[in-house]
Amino acid sequence: MSESAKKIPWPKILLAILIIGVLMALPKFLPIDQWWQSLSNWIDSIGFWGPLVFILIYALATVLFIPGSALTLGAGLLFGVGWGTLWVIIGSNLGANLAFLIGRYFARDAIEKKTAGNKNFQAIDEAVGREGWKIVGLTRLSPVFPFTLL
């Protein structure tokens, strides 16, 4: 067996394919359309409070690492492109700030313990400590890093 064939992480690749397959199949087995319609009707029914509730849901989704792409698209459907964009910007910024505060003041010690031996995490932590805004800006611009993970 060649040297390059030994380096391919087949279990990880197969796991990624399995996860992608399950995610693609979920809409066929779950009543997502009904859930979306129920959420849409409920937000419409609460009138003035609808955007505020949506912003809070978006912020919570950000903190819980739930991908926001469906919510972002849904905001356009619910509120129109202009208002939907505004509510998404507010919700994502609120969620990012909450995640920062949780990470900074409540979860830092636990995360440090879990990543203590990982050289990659140590290098990232040192780089952010030296040039924080540059690292955060570059990772934010990179499509490799999802927004909720950042």
Side-chain angles (χ1 to χ4, degrees):
M1 185 176 277
S2 71
E3 191 67 29
S4 63
K6 291 180 184 178
K7 293 182 181 182
I8 297 175
W10 288 111
K12 289 181 180 181
I13 291 171
L14 293 174
L15 180 61
I17 291 170
L18 177 67
I19 290 170
I20 291 169
V22 168
L23 290 175
M24 290 175 65
L26 277 180
K28 298 210 183 276
F29 300 105
L30 296 176
I32 293 173
D33 291 343
Q34 293 173 355
W35 294 345
W36 176 254
Q37 190 61 43
S38 296
L39 177 64
S40 177
N41 291 339
W42 179 68
I43 288 179
D44 283 343
S45 73
I46 59 176
F48 169 79
W49 296 103
L52 180 63
V53 169
F54 180 83
I55 288 168
L56 293 175
I57 290 170
Y58 201 102
L60 183 62
T62 301
V63 170
L64 297 175
F65 301 111
I66 297 171
S69 54
L71 285 172
T72 300
L73 294 172
L77 292 172
L78 286 171
F79 305 109
V81 174
W83 288 111
T85 300
L86 179 64
W87 304 146
V88 165
I89 289 170
I90 294 170
S92 64
N93 279 300
L94 178 62
N97 283 302
L98 287 172
F100 169 78
L101 292 172
I102 291 167
R104 177 73 171 237
Y105 296 108
F106 300 108
R108 176 87 181 171
D109 293 337
I111 291 170
E112 281 181 343
K113 287 177 187 174
K114 286 187 178 199
T115 61
N118 190 313
K119 293 179 182 180
N120 291 331
F121 280 111
Q122 289 174 351
I124 292 170
D125 189 43
E126 289 172 13
V128 169
R130 282 191 315 270
E131 312 240 9
W133 71 272
K134 287 181 185 176
I135 301 299
V136 172
L138 290 171
T139 55
R140 186 64 190 108
L141 291 173
S142 172
V144 175
F145 297 99
F147 168 72
T148 54
L149 179 61
L150 290 175

